[in-house]
Amino acid sequence: MHVRPIDPSTATVTVNFHLEDPEALTGRAEDDVTVKGAKGQNLLEVALMNGINVEHACGGVCACSTCHIYLESGGQNVSEATEAEEDRVEEAPGLQRNSRLSCQCVIQGDGPITLRVPSWNRNAVKEVPH
């Protein structure tokens, strides 16, 4: 996935990530990570730009459900789910009312936004670079 570069001065929205398996996602033990995102970025981009390796098998184009997250609070600060996203997220394990695809949650408000990345957020067929 290509992550669009942003001007750091535009990253003013607080995004809180709660990581159920922080070692696998970041290589560190810290399970709560607070970062800044910019309006127009999606939550997958915010994660990747800050070293949180949320899976995204389709490259962030809403063609899979590997970037499934739970939007805990701040839903009014991101775009509403489209029909295409709702269809895809239904394929994710552990479906809940607050399930979203992080690639489709575009920051639109001033925050804060809190989300949880489930421990099973893995792409079992991901190839390791060689």
Side-chain angles (χ1 to χ4, degrees):
M1 172 180 179
H2 175 72
V3 178
R4 295 172 288 165
I6 63 157
D7 176 351
S9 68
T10 65
T12 60
V13 180
T14 300
V15 182
N16 304 301
F17 288 86
H18 177 71
L19 311 175
E20 291 183 357
D21 187 0
E23 292 280 338
L25 292 168
T26 65
R28 300 183 308 269
E30 182 181 10
D31 60 359
D32 287 303
V33 179
T34 300
V35 299
K36 297 289 186 181
K39 289 181 182 178
Q41 278 189 302
N42 65 50
L43 296 178
L44 176 60
E45 290 175 311
V46 175
L48 296 175
M49 286 185 67
N50 288 282
I52 302 169
N53 298 311
V54 172
E55 291 294 348
H56 52 285
C58 73
V61 297
C62 197
C64 72
S65 61
T66 58
C67 70
H68 174 226
I69 51 101
Y70 298 117
L71 190 57
E72 301 286 319
S73 66
Q76 71 278 12
N77 294 301
V78 298
S79 57
E80 290 187 26
T82 63
E83 188 174 331
E85 178 187 356
E86 289 173 351
D87 289 345
R88 278 296 167 225
V89 81
E90 287 178 1
E91 299 170 359
L95 186 64
Q96 296 180 1
R97 294 189 77 134
N98 61 342
S99 290
R100 293 290 306 268
L101 299 181
S102 60
C103 71
Q104 298 301 300
C105 293
V106 177
I107 299 173
Q108 296 179 331
D110 295 324
I113 300 164
T114 300
L115 61 107
R116 183 166 41 100
V117 182
S119 60
W120 40 260
N121 179 276
R122 300 286 168 274
N123 175 1
V125 296
K126 184 175 184 178
E127 293 184 24
V128 177
H130 43 288

